[in-house]
Amino acid sequence: MIDAINASLFTPIGEDGLIGIYLILNGLKVTLIVTFFAMIMGSVLGVATTLMKMSSKWYFSWPANLYVSVIRGTPVVVQLVILYFIVLASLDVDKITAAIIAFGLNSGAYISEIIRAGIQAVDKGQMEAARSLGLSHWSTMKEVILPQAIKNILPSLGNEFIVLLKETAVIGFIGGVDLMRAGEIIRSRTFEDSVPLFTCAIIYLLLTYIFTFMLSKFETRLKQSD
């Protein structure tokens, strides 16, 4: 087993002198970058889509509903491949940027539904009270409803972040070298399956645990501030 670990991670695995552990670390960096920026993009899209869906004007609500339906009705890997090889084919967009856009669009649709559920969980009297004080609909949403909804939806947002982290494992379909793709490259060069795949699995598990722990601490602080 020690020989397999050394051969897979700590010795050159090709004529180019590539060392497995460096490939794993670079793949981890790509995974974290894509996850972080896709989550930011998804959060912004999620809030905007939620507000559009809840609008009484059809030219806001209809495109938002269509966007959510299309994204939730198709696999993320299909969205990634279509975006990179068709939509962005004529543009000089690198694989990481394309992945951020694809996962951001995907995450935005799910975050939109999470936020919508959180908003609907807030007592309707809050909206009526704020409107009676002279606040506009948008001001009421921004100043009164959304701050309360955020506390309700935080656990679900955390789960979405963790799901997004694991979904990035399909970046290899467009040739990007993320954590999972790094493991596949090592496996194909060394013909050793266990070490690279279990290494990737352990890293994903550790990341999930760390983010879950941080989220639980943040939730505890929010509860203490109430």
Side-chain angles (χ1 to χ4, degrees):
M1 186 63 181
I2 295 178
D3 290 338
I5 294 174
N6 184 60
S8 298
L9 301 179
F10 301 108
T11 57
I13 57 175
E15 295 180 356
D16 54 3
L18 187 66
I19 297 177
I21 190 64
Y22 293 149
L23 186 61
I24 289 285
L25 291 175
N26 284 330
L28 173 60
K29 181 178 71 173
V30 171
T31 292
L32 292 176
I33 288 173
V34 171
T35 303
F36 178 75
F37 286 104
M39 191 66 185
I40 292 176
M41 178 181 172
S43 298
V44 174
L45 277 175
V47 172
T49 303
T50 300
L51 295 177
M52 290 173 67
K53 287 187 69 173
M54 300 183 71
S55 173
S56 58
K57 297 179 173 60
W58 69 269
Y59 47 83
F60 283 133
S61 60
W62 186 83
N65 284 318
L66 178 63
Y67 159 64
V68 171
S69 298
V70 170
I71 294 298
R72 296 183 70 193
T74 54
V76 64
V77 64
V78 174
Q79 298 163 17
L80 175 65
V81 171
I82 289 176
L83 184 76
Y84 183 72
F85 289 109
I86 299 177
V87 178
L88 301 177
S90 61
L91 303 175
D92 186 20
V93 176
D94 62 88
K95 295 178 176 65
I96 294 179
T97 302
I100 291 172
I101 295 172
F103 289 110
L105 289 171
N106 180 271
S107 184
Y110 288 94
I111 290 177
S112 170
E113 291 299 286
I114 292 172
I115 295 175
R116 183 179 62 83
I119 289 175
Q120 291 178 340
V122 177
D123 193 324
K124 293 182 179 180
Q126 299 277 346
M127 173 67 78
E128 295 172 356
R131 294 302 301 273
S132 67
L133 293 174
L135 291 178
S136 67
H137 177 80
W138 297 111
S139 296
T140 302
M141 290 294 296
K142 184 177 69 172
E143 303 294 340
V144 180
I145 305 300
L146 283 178
Q148 296 182 68
I150 291 297
K151 291 186 178 182
N152 295 333
I153 66 178
L154 189 60
S156 297
L157 284 177
N159 290 334
E160 172 59 23
F161 181 79
I162 292 171
V163 169
L164 179 61
L165 171 69
K166 293 183 287 186
E167 283 181 341
T168 59
V170 300
I171 293 176
F173 276 86
I174 62 171
V177 184
D178 66 313
L179 178 59
M180 188 62 200
R181 179 60 179 164
E184 285 293 320
I185 292 173
I186 296 172
R187 188 177 68 86
S188 67
R189 292 192 177 190
T190 63
F191 303 103
E192 170 61 46
D193 296 330
S194 300
V195 173
L197 295 182
F198 275 112
T199 299
C200 292
I202 291 170
I203 292 174
Y204 278 118
L205 183 63
L206 287 174
L207 289 174
T208 299
Y209 175 80
I210 291 170
F211 290 138
T212 301
F213 177 78
M214 292 171 61
L215 181 64
S216 65
K217 288 294 184 181
F218 185 57
E219 287 181 41
T220 302
R221 286 193 176 187
L222 282 180
K223 290 178 181 178
Q224 291 175 347
S225 65
D226 287 342

